[in-house]
Amino acid sequence: MAAADSLYLGFDFSTQQLKVVVIDGNLNVVHQNNVQFDSELPEFRTQGGVHIHADRLTVTSPVLMWVKALDLLLDKIKRAGLDFSRVRVLSGSGQQHGSVYWRKGASQTLKQLDPEHTLHQLLQGSFSVSDSPVWMDSSSVQQCEELQEAAGGALRLAEISGSRAYERFTGSQIVKLLQSRPDQYHNTERISLVSSFAASLFLGDYAAIDFSDE
């Protein structure tokens, strides 16, 4: 197939919506579409794509909402008449700092996905944490303080890692899960960022975390 006839899909798993842009080999946009979480998936009861908890510090998003949004978006693309046989490359991005917790045994489910069923149906039991902490979360103050103290202070942690501890960062969120919900933590076999989680859905296996996300 000539390069000009090829199609390239870019997905963005953002806070309020899932978007896709399709371009051809000449960089012409041939299709755009999206799924708005609040209005198109009202069963998840999000506001701005998130759940703001009673403490006003904990902010999460339902993992299965993201999965179902991908089902809906792919269906929209199909109904628009896009020729998937022309697709040569998929790329994607995801909101920073969100983390997804795969339940033990989920890798086998990913490797055996049945095209006769939706991802939402197939992955119902695949996540040990149903609501993922996202970049708006600021509930891990204690864990940030503990991390900085263990490293020898905020400055020393910044020298080691490039940054002091922030509540939304994944490391402190993982420690919070271990301390507050150890059963869920110990039932987790893999932790993904939103971007690598999205890639895993297409790969049928766990995707590595991109260097730019580390």
Side-chain angles (χ1 to χ4, degrees):
M1 178 181 294
D5 295 326
S6 298
L7 296 177
Y8 307 86
L9 276 64
F11 294 87
D12 178 32
F13 285 72
S14 61
T15 308
Q16 299 182 30
Q17 63 179 327
L18 171 58
K19 304 185 289 273
V20 67
V21 175
V22 185
I23 63 172
D24 63 19
N26 294 316
L27 304 183
N28 298 307
V29 175
V30 298
H31 184 74
Q32 297 184 71
N33 224 315
N34 66 79
V35 172
Q36 298 287 332
F37 298 144
D38 291 1
S39 59
E40 295 184 70
L41 295 168
E43 64 269 31
F44 292 99
R45 299 176 179 269
T46 56
Q47 293 185 325
V50 301
H51 292 149
I52 300 176
H53 295 236
D55 62 5
R56 312 302 293 178
L57 301 174
T58 304
V59 183
T60 61
S61 288
V63 184
L64 284 173
M65 178 182 72
W66 295 333
V67 175
K68 193 169 185 178
L70 181 59
D71 283 329
L72 292 178
L73 187 58
L74 290 173
D75 187 59
K76 285 185 178 186
I77 299 171
K78 181 180 179 181
R79 286 190 283 109
L82 190 80
D83 183 359
F84 283 93
S85 69
R86 295 171 57 194
V87 175
R88 289 294 172 265
V89 174
L90 301 178
S91 67
S93 60
Q95 55 178 286
Q96 290 182 319
H97 310 304
S99 48
V100 175
Y101 301 80
W102 297 90
R103 186 189 301 272
K104 288 182 178 179
S107 61
Q108 290 305 308
T109 303
L110 274 175
K111 293 174 182 177
Q112 299 170 4
L113 295 176
D114 182 350
E116 296 300 317
H117 298 86
T118 65
L119 289 170
H120 177 254
Q121 292 171 325
L122 294 167
L123 297 175
Q124 284 283 339
S126 294
F127 305 102
S128 54
V129 177
S130 59
D131 263 37
S132 288
V134 296
W135 64 273
M136 298 167 65
D137 189 283
S138 59
S139 64
S140 60
V141 174
Q142 174 187 333
Q143 290 75 26
C144 288
E145 292 174 348
E146 292 171 353
L147 177 59
Q148 290 184 162
E149 182 179 354
L155 180 58
R156 179 57 184 151
L157 181 60
E159 291 172 346
I160 296 170
S161 68
S163 175
R164 72 168 182 83
Y166 286 95
E167 291 84 355
R168 64 184 180 274
F169 282 9
T170 313
S172 58
Q173 293 292 341
I174 294 171
V175 175
K176 179 189 171 189
L177 177 66
L178 171 61
Q179 294 176 343
S180 61
R181 290 173 286 168
D183 290 348
Q184 292 181 17
Y185 175 85
H186 291 295
N187 196 30
T188 299
E189 72 176 15
R190 180 78 170 221
I191 301 173
S192 298
L193 298 181
V194 176
S195 53
S196 56
F197 151 78
S200 301
L201 298 178
F202 286 102
L203 286 175
D205 201 356
Y206 294 139
I209 293 175
D210 191 273
F211 286 123
S212 63
D213 285 333
E214 293 181 347

